[in-house]
Amino acid sequence: MPNLENLKKQAKQYLRWHREGHYPVAAAIRAALPRFRPLTDREVLDAPFSLADAQELVARQNGFEGWQALRTGALAVSDTTQKKPEQPFLSGAEPVLYVTDFPASLAFFTEKLGFAVDFTYGDPPFYGVVQRDRARLCLRFVDEPVFVGDIRRREELLSASITLDSAAAIKQLFLDYQAAGVTFHLPLKTQPWGARNFILLDPDGNLILFAGPGD
């Protein structure tokens, strides 16, 4: 087990990061502390978080059920009713889109595509997450284009793929985006395998696929 004094310092560091709104700590808190798991990054950072919470976080990261258990060298957390260890469950994915004008990208996704800003980070902001329903996209500012020329269009290199549950929904979304003046790489089309999809371009040329079932 690591030195207890170092673990105390680590807990205080987590507490400081939370107070400063350092967004990467939100993922660590959500992963270790069950009561934070339903929350978004922004909600985790806005929620009360004490030194005791930070100590519990450190304890769980080291395999103990709580700070006192860690201090006394108690056995690691285990579910004695389970015969098999819990299998990892991937609860979501958040594609990263590289953008050269962060405010313009936020405006595009919120005003034209119907997303809402979950959070932004930096002063001025250089990273953020936009969300619509269960679809989440990360935006990362870069000083210059990441891809050379028109290779993304030529090779149809997708930056993100988003699914809808019905043929009616995919059609309506396409019509909404068409009315909003969005630029399409591929209009709504039924593919040979039965799915219906379309591909749009954001201001930086990122290709985003929207797909749903056929009629």
Side-chain angles (χ1 to χ4, degrees):
M1 185 174 70
N3 180 276
L4 185 59
E5 289 304 314
N6 289 337
L7 293 175
K8 289 180 180 179
K9 292 177 182 178
Q10 186 177 346
K12 291 178 181 179
Q13 181 67 70
Y14 277 128
L15 179 63
R16 184 160 52 251
W17 281 340
H18 181 272
R19 289 175 176 172
E20 293 172 353
H22 189 50
Y23 77 92
V25 78
I29 294 172
R30 192 166 49 242
L33 304 180
R35 60 187 175 277
F36 288 95
R37 284 176 189 162
L39 307 182
T40 65
D41 288 348
R42 185 68 269 160
E43 289 170 339
V44 170
L45 294 176
D46 289 340
F49 188 75
S50 65
L51 178 59
D53 293 321
Q55 290 174 338
E56 182 184 356
L57 167 61
V58 171
R60 286 179 174 270
Q61 287 178 331
N62 284 273
F64 293 85
E65 62 181 6
W67 186 251
Q68 186 58 37
L70 182 149
R71 286 174 59 90
T72 58
L75 294 175
V77 176
S78 62
D79 184 351
T80 57
T81 64
Q82 266 190 316
K83 294 182 179 179
K84 294 182 179 180
E86 181 180 352
Q87 294 300 308
F89 177 78
L90 306 184
S91 59
E94 299 180 2
V96 177
L97 279 61
Y98 299 106
V99 302
T100 55
D101 188 330
F102 194 82
S105 291
L106 282 183
F108 173 78
F109 281 97
T110 56
E111 297 172 11
K112 289 188 176 291
L113 301 192
F115 283 72
V117 177
D118 181 21
F119 75 89
T120 59
Y121 180 77
D123 185 19
F126 64 88
Y127 182 87
V129 171
V130 293
Q131 179 172 1
R132 177 169 175 172
D133 305 320
R134 288 177 293 177
R136 290 166 60 85
L137 299 172
C138 305
L139 306 180
R140 175 65 163 86
F141 171 75
V142 291
D143 289 319
E144 57 187 30
V146 174
F147 296 91
V148 177
D150 64 347
I151 188 171
R152 284 178 292 183
R153 289 198 182 194
R154 287 189 286 109
E155 299 294 333
E156 206 164 89
L157 302 179
L158 299 176
S159 295
S161 178
I162 299 172
T163 57
L164 291 90
D165 292 335
S166 70
I170 187 72
K171 180 179 179 180
Q172 185 59 56
L173 189 65
F174 174 75
L175 294 175
D176 290 345
Y177 288 167
Q178 192 175 52
V182 172
T183 301
F184 294 96
H185 171 75
L186 177 73
L188 184 63
K189 179 181 179 180
T190 301
Q191 300 293 347
W193 52 89
R196 300 190 78 191
N197 58 32
F198 64 86
I199 301 174
L200 61 78
L201 291 107
D202 77 353
D204 287 276
N206 290 301
L207 274 66
I208 305 173
L209 170 76
F210 291 82
D215 291 329

